[in-house]
Amino acid sequence: MHLFALDSPKPLRRKRRMEHSVKELQAEFVDLLRKQVEALELDAYVGLTDEERSEYYARQERIRDLDAKLNEFSDRAA
């Protein structure tokens, strides 16, 4: 019985770490989406440089990666 009491916080800690990770990923996701909107607005009014366009596409790839990771967490929680 004593061992059970020692083992019980581990899943709770793991869950908290996972929730923290999810929140970090969500924050990055939202920040990247905001930057994408800004880039699209800039593109509509003055255009993007080659470097800005490259950054846009790199962010798009990161957004896809984050979306996949967030879906993994969501699937695990379900």
Side-chain angles (χ1 to χ4, degrees), residues 8-22:
S8 61
K10 287 182 182 179
L12 183 59
R13 279 191 220 129
R14 197 172 308 130
K15 184 177 179 183
R16 284 183 185 154
R17 275 195 306 258
M18 187 173 89
E19 288 172 357
H20 181 71
S21 295
V22 168

